[in-house]
Amino acid sequence: MESLLVNSVEKNLTQFMFSNAIFLCERLLADFPSEVNLQLLARCYLSNGQPYSAYYILKGSKTPQSRYLFALSCFKLDLLGEAEAALLSTVEQQIPGGAAGHYLLGLIYRYAGRKNSSVEQFRIALSCDPLCWEAYAQLCSLGVAEEASTVFGNVAAQRLQKTHVPQRINFSEGETKDQLIDSDKASKDISVWQTEHVPGENQQDLKVKQLGAEIPPDTDNQRNASSHTNGWDLNTPSPVLPQVLDVPPPMLYKNMRRPEVEGLMSVHGEPRKKFVCEEESSEAPEESRRRRSARIAAKRKIPMFHHSPSESNGVPSLSSMIGKCRIQSSKEATTSGQSINDTGSSVDDEQNSNPRGSSLDPFSLMSGISEMLNLLKILGDGHRSLHMYNCQEALLIYQKLSEKQYNTHWVLMQVGKAYVELQDYFSADSVFTLAHQKYPYALEGMDTYSTVLYHLKEEMRLGYLAQELIAIDRLSPESWCASGNYYSLRKDHEAALKMFRRAIQLNERFTYAHTLCGHELAALEDFEDAERCYRKALSIDTRHYNAWYGLGMTYIHQEKFEFAQHQFQLALQINPRSSVIMCYFGIALHESKRNDEALKMMEKAIVADARNPISKYFKANILANLGDYHKALKVLEELKDSAPQESSVHALLGKIYKQVKLYDKAVLNFGIALDLNPSTSDAVKIKACMERLIVPDELETEEDL
Amino acid sequence: MATESSESEEEGKISGGNEKLILDDDLREMGKNAAWSVSSCKPGNGVNTLRDDNLETYWQSDGLQPHLINIQFQKKVRLQLVALYVDFKLDESYTPSKISVRAGDGFHNLKEVKSVELVKPSGWVSVSLSGTDPRETFVNTFMLQIAMLSNHLNGRDTHIRQIKVYGPRPNPIPRQPFQFTSTEFLAYSTLR
């Protein structure tokens, strides 16, 4: 009965029938209490979103897999100390879960604010498993990532090779229909995906299954239509562990089903290269492997459907489920037929079969590895550049991608963000619009999109976006950020604040929501609370330079110019190319009477971004304040030509002309300024200035008369 | 300035009113940083009802005319518009008729800035504080006093359901003489 229950539970898990799984698992545990079954129940609970249950049942367990699951539950419950203890308390010096375990530990350290430890953990995770992209992304966001070419270079290739090569046995379908398999696999994929959203869980499961393999393999051979089980006896389940590395790859049998031995017995959460169809197998290891690869693939957030419609016989639909970076490119699916070298798609000519698995000969494996690492190198480079705010370079790097990879959501978001950082909101708008059209369900990065629309003053589109996003998912912080931005655009700061607070409630660690809250409070002139919000944002992510900028601005408003300078300096350290920050830094310097430095900073700002009109305007203002009217006029005249519709430019021109007693020009410019629709208070000012100008003329004419 | 009320310039009569308060974009409600007080009130209908954003609740005075609403700021502020929600259909003889808006540094030197007469108002009524001169667009003052000099149908006490006070928005860019108007400048002027 035990194995029957285990298999049922597994099946339920893959089909998302969590309550059934929990029920059956309880029966299982009652009659056959064992550590493995306990882990299975914990998995059920974790899949069902009940980390607290998993926490309680796993408390005190000592086996590595249990400790990993326990640490995971603690992490989800925000019990970072216990999670860390669980991962570290080990007699053997190894962190359970391998790369995934290290990654989890890195996250724990990061959340706890222990930057160096977290960096170390992420680096280890990457060295264990070069495909652990998330670790690299975390390093980038911490600002300490190494060059992608070293991380995803030869060492990585060797690592991948070691862990993949010996275990391959090609698994092909034989008679089973593609569609059946596809659909099965797809459902399994989905199920797996949804069950496993935490990295390393697959790892865990593998281990579970490894141990589970010890359960008498009463093969429910009837399990599925697939009669693969016979082949599986070839497999060497659990005892395998690192020994597998020494096992030479079994021979390839054409037109026969072969079990695929998932080689990754080792501690890496390495995704399987081949995506084997998902016949349910009674063989726990098989299942685990398959599932794990699906999970791993899912972990990479690969969209579930890689069934390229163009698939013909020889094309494995999911051959490229190596867990490429985040989004699986359909390219892989489609080209896998053609590009033999691709991700290890089966090279063999199975006529009617649907070989799903990567090829087993090491050559194509190697080429697959190298291709993937190349892809990761490009993406890693781009991501790193973006986080270093080296945006032009990032854009160039991303251009190197193939068109299909480029048009994936993640990449488009990166490109969009790069444009935003360059203040090129129009290009950003087009990129984001395209991405949103193609992937309306993908909410990540939509908060940045809403900011772009805010800057472009596109009230209608922003409102529409906000409504759309909330309709798609009321529980995602990005949707509420978008609606907050909408209200902010309409100057309804109270409502905007409410929206941003909701976003924070949904995800405490959503840095941007805190910063936006801060902006709104600053607009409401509540500077103390604004400061608090900014500092909260910074406590989550020190490199969020928008928050430093926000702090600087609040200090300027409160006339604490020294403090402001400090904040802007920190912001510039993070993003040395932002001309906006330089502009305000210059203002702070000017107000502190450090005028030379102020002017130098303005120059820097102008050089940094020639299209930014503000830097020139500020420079002219500073020059005028210093009495250097002619230089100021020169700058403004240039500016006027490039931005003829801006009222303030003309107003300032008028003011300066008045100072230099060129009253005609002054009046002319004031007139133009008034025509260009200034705000009411400005209009009053300008009119007042004009009146005072006219009076001396009248006095003159009267005297003449 | 609010555009909805039909105001005849010479006599300062306002009739009608609006369901919704429609304002210019560059106005900002200033009442939050002010201390509000009234000359008298009936228990349960006190000064809070004037600022609770609820049009069902109203302030009811309880004394001699003129009934006064005093708004005191901590520093001199520029004010442009006062908006009142009154409704003849609901309040009939409690609806104010002649209103005088005064400004000054304190109770001792208030001077009338504007005087209007309401004729059967129903909804939001906006009283602009600007004079004809462009230099007089704003009233720069510590204190504003709104005096209800008389009511419709010679009622003794008065009902006001809501009151809002508006002034210009400050320049979001600090330390700059003028505000930016074009999208390009505004886009570059902040980081978000």
Side-chain angles (χ1 to χ4, degrees), chain B:
Chain B
M1 265 184 47
T3 50
E4 66 284 4
S5 53
S6 51
E7 182 172 343
S8 57
E9 292 291 336
E10 304 86 308
E11 295 151 28
K13 276 198 181 348
I14 305 181
S15 48
N18 276 15
E19 277 302 313
K20 284 207 191 299
L21 189 55
I22 304 167
L23 302 162
D24 275 348
D25 224 10
D26 59 353
L27 287 177
R28 163 174 80 124
E29 221 271 320
M30 313 274 306
K32 281 194 206 55
N33 344 337
W36 293 74
S37 58
V38 289
S39 57
S40 59
C41 72
K42 182 175 147 216
N45 300 74
V47 67
N48 298 321
T49 58
L50 285 173
R51 301 290 299 161
D52 59 358
D53 276 325
N54 184 349
L55 300 174
E56 312 288 324
T57 59
Y58 51 80
W59 164 60
Q60 178 171 324
S61 63
D62 185 22
L64 290 174
Q65 286 175 351
H67 306 296
L68 309 167
I69 303 176
N70 307 304
I71 311 168
Q72 291 168 286
F73 295 92
Q74 281 189 323
K75 50 183 177 145
K76 264 198 176 177
V77 291
R78 292 189 297 171
L79 300 170
Q80 204 176 333
L81 187 80
V82 174
L84 302 151
Y85 191 93
V86 282
D87 195 342
F88 180 75
K89 293 196 285 286
L90 291 177
D91 298 318
E92 296 187 344
S93 68
Y94 284 95
T95 317
S97 160
K98 282 215 184 63
I99 299 186
S100 160
V101 181
R102 303 135 178 201
D105 295 331
F107 286 100
H108 55 280
N109 64 354
L110 291 171
K111 230 176 61 152
E112 181 174 285
V113 168
K114 195 72 183 264
S115 155
V116 289
E117 187 177 336
L118 307 179
V119 180
K120 299 216 172 105
S122 58
W124 286 100
V125 168
S126 300
V127 179
S128 156
L129 303 175
S130 318
T132 41
D133 203 304
R135 275 174 294 187
E136 291 177 7
T137 321
F138 307 119
V139 170
N140 204 7
T141 174
F142 274 103
M143 173 169 172
L144 205 67
Q145 185 181 73
I146 305 179
M148 262 57 70
L149 304 172
S150 66
N151 294 326
H152 279 76
L153 308 175
N154 286 324
R156 193 180 83 133
D157 287 320
T158 189
H159 281 177
I160 308 263
R161 292 174 177 263
Q162 197 70 5
I163 237 188
K164 288 193 193 282
V165 172
Y166 289 95
R169 278 189 200 280
N171 193 348
I173 324 287
R175 325 293 303 171
Q176 290 304 306
F178 300 108
Q179 297 187 20
F180 297 137
T181 55
S182 65
T183 317
E184 200 195 340
F185 269 66
L186 285 169
Y188 273 99
S189 66
T190 58
L191 281 184
R192 194 151 171 86

Side-chain angles (χ1 to χ4, degrees), chain A residues 75 80 103-119 121-122 134-135 137-143 387 509 511 538-544:
Chain A
F75 182 72
L80 299 179
Y103 174 72
L104 180 60
L105 192 54
L107 276 184
I108 292 171
Y109 284 141
R110 183 165 186 192
Y111 284 23
R114 290 151 72 177
K115 179 172 163 190
N116 294 331
S117 318
S118 76
V119 168
Q121 290 302 319
F122 288 135
E134 283 293 316
Q138 291 282 336
L139 286 173
C140 285
S141 95
L142 284 169
H387 273 275
R509 293 193 63 89
T511 326
L538 287 169
S539 73
I540 301 174
D541 181 5
T542 319
R543 291 190 84 248
H544 194 225

Side-chain angles (χ1 to χ4, degrees), chain A residues 485 546 584 646 680 682 685, chain B residues 26 175 177 179 182 189 192:
Chain A
N485 269 330
N546 306 52
Y584 286 107
E646 175 57 43
T680 325
D682 279 358
K685 256 195 234 172
Chain B
D26 59 353
R175 325 293 303 171
Q179 297 187 20
S182 65
S189 66
R192 194 151 171 86

Side-chain angles (χ1 to χ4, degrees), chain A residues 518 522 527 530-531 534 549-559:
Chain A
F527 296 119
E531 266 177 63
Y534 289 132
Y549 160 84
L551 272 176
M553 294 302 281
T554 52
Y555 285 131
I556 289 193
H557 273 112
Q558 295 173 59
E559 309 205 349

Side-chain angles (χ1 to χ4, degrees), chain A residues 402-458:
Chain A
S402 71
E403 195 177 316
K404 295 188 190 181
Q405 283 286 357
Y406 186 84
N407 282 324
T408 52
H409 182 74
W410 188 84
V411 177
L412 287 174
M413 288 297 111
Q414 293 283 295
V415 173
K417 283 203 183 107
Y419 280 124
V420 169
E421 299 295 345
L422 289 172
Q423 258 100 45
D424 186 354
Y425 296 117
F426 286 107
S427 314
D429 184 16
S430 51
V431 172
F432 276 119
T433 312
L434 168 71
H436 185 58
Q437 265 172 10
K438 278 191 86 170
Y439 306 102
Y441 55 84
L443 297 183
E444 210 173 287
M446 287 297 116
D447 50 334
T448 317
Y449 184 23
S450 69
T451 300
V452 170
L453 291 176
Y454 172 92
H455 273 126
L456 293 174
K457 306 252 168 285
E458 295 266 10

Side-chain angles (χ1 to χ4, degrees), chain A residues 224-239:
Chain A
N224 283 4
S226 62
S227 45
H228 306 283
T229 42
N230 33 338
W232 293 341
D233 304 328
L234 295 179
N235 276 349
T236 53
S238 60

